[in-house]
Amino acid sequence: MAFQTAIHGFETTVYDISDEVLEKAKAKFEGLAESHKKDLGATEEQITKARERLHYSSDLAFAVKDADLLIEAVPEDIKIKTEFYKQLSAIAPEKTIFVSNSSTLLPSQFAEVTGRPAQYLNLHFANQIWLRNTAEIMPHPGTDEKISEEIVDFSKAIGMVPILVKKEVPGYVLNSLLNPFLNAGMQLWIGDYATPETIDKTWMLGTGSPYGPMALYDIIGLTTPYNIYKLQVEKGKTDDKIVLDKLKSTFIDQNKLGISTGEGFYKYPNPSWQSPDF
């Protein structure tokens, strides 16, 4: 999100909890730069200018001191998000619009704690946003309509296709379609009906898709499904506890979080699902 914003001409500050994490972000941006060159034909001049527009800070007050827009992408945990917004609302300028990139949580769950409910809504991006350039915009009942319109305009300005969701729904449009598909793959794996490779191969051969659900989990990052299943268990969906425990022991506890750490269901940078003879 930050790189997409910077390469389209906006001064962009990346905030995270430590300088160590921010160094990892810088390294990731170098990978994104190569992807923009390869997939979109970005020039070296465009990449250089994007780097110059990217700024980094582990000081939240400094990071937001003159922000017009803040995009929150902290983990899918209600407590963490609530505490973050409480901290943020006390230090951000009155003009700052807050948006959340939450995959599953609704803006109405946090609107009041932001301290600016009329200037708050969700803005959700797909993975590989330079290619899958949807920007799902989901206001809550108290969002100012003009703010929604500003986010539509911003989305267009950073090369996205705005998808305006008429009212709140967990999963927006994309994930409402995608989550049942991913969950079906997860249940096949958890039930030991098929290996991740067999699950993905079946889907790829049967539909012509470039990857299957297990590879897609690696692309998304396994922390996200872990947090989603954790939320479902906390809501009383006890059947999901077996999935939660398996994800924790197999991936989370071993820091095998997908592409970002070099291993998830597959090993990277050369996963078997990308092999021509897969």
Side-chain angles (χ1 to χ4, degrees), residues 11-16 19 22 53-70 84 87-88 90-93 95-96:
E11 295 295 324
T12 306
T13 299
V14 181
Y15 163 79
D16 216 313
D19 292 335
L22 290 172
R53 296 186 193 106
L54 282 164
H55 313 283
Y56 304 87
S57 178
S58 57
D59 181 332
L60 184 59
F62 179 83
V64 302
K65 66 178 182 179
D66 194 37
D68 296 308
L69 173 66
L70 177 134
F84 179 73
Q87 182 183 3
L88 190 63
I91 57 178
K95 68 173 183 175
T96 309

Side-chain angles (χ1 to χ4, degrees), residues 32-44 47 51:
L32 289 173
E34 293 305 312
S35 295
H36 276 72
K37 290 178 188 177
K38 177 183 175 183
D39 297 331
L40 301 178
T43 66
E44 193 58 50
I47 298 300
R51 289 192 188 104

Side-chain angles (χ1 to χ4, degrees), residues 39-238:
D39 297 331
L40 301 178
T43 66
E44 193 58 50
E45 182 182 5
Q46 288 175 308
I47 298 300
T48 298
K49 288 183 177 179
R51 289 192 188 104
E52 291 171 352
R53 296 186 193 106
L54 282 164
H55 313 283
Y56 304 87
S57 178
S58 57
D59 181 332
L60 184 59
F62 179 83
V64 302
K65 66 178 182 179
D66 194 37
D68 296 308
L69 173 66
L70 177 134
I71 303 175
E72 168 267 309
V74 303
E76 296 286 86
D77 183 296
I78 292 174
K79 183 178 179 181
I80 293 174
K81 285 185 185 291
T82 298
E83 290 304 315
F84 179 73
Y85 282 129
K86 284 181 180 178
Q87 182 183 3
L88 190 63
S89 64
I91 57 178
E94 289 184 12
K95 68 173 183 175
T96 309
I97 298 170
F98 290 179
V99 301
S100 176
N101 186 48
S102 175
S103 299
T104 58
L105 301 173
L106 302 176
S108 58
Q109 293 178 261
F110 306 99
E112 292 305 320
V113 77
T114 67
R116 59 196 72 201
Q119 293 169 226
Y120 178 64
L121 68 162
N122 280 14
L123 175 64
H124 184 254
F125 299 97
N127 292 284
Q128 297 180 312
I129 66 173
W130 65 97
L131 292 176
R132 319 295 176 206
N133 60 330
T134 59
E136 295 184 281
I137 298 158
M138 185 166 69
H140 64 90
T143 303
D144 188 323
E145 188 174 340
K146 291 182 179 178
I147 297 297
S148 295
E149 292 171 358
E150 285 190 45
I151 299 304
V152 167
D153 291 341
F154 168 75
S155 300
K156 292 178 181 177
I158 63 169
M160 309 302 290
V161 177
I163 309 295
L164 187 60
V165 183
K166 294 170 64 177
K167 58 183 180 180
E168 290 184 307
V169 56
Y172 312 79
V173 176
L174 179 59
N175 282 343
S176 292
L177 297 168
L178 181 63
N179 286 341
F181 162 69
L182 289 173
N183 185 59
M186 184 67 74
Q187 295 303 325
L188 287 169
W189 175 65
I190 287 290
D192 200 28
Y193 297 106
T195 65
E197 291 83 359
T198 298
I199 295 166
D200 284 353
K201 184 183 299 186
T202 303
W203 183 257
M204 292 163 70
L205 286 171
T207 67
S209 175
Y211 40 69
M214 315 320 281
L216 188 52
Y217 273 125
D218 281 356
I219 294 169
I220 293 168
L222 287 156
T223 301
T224 295
Y226 174 77
N227 285 327
I228 291 171
Y229 280 108
K230 181 180 178 184
L231 185 62
Q232 293 302 315
V233 170
E234 290 172 351
K235 288 180 177 179
K237 195 175 178 184
T238 55

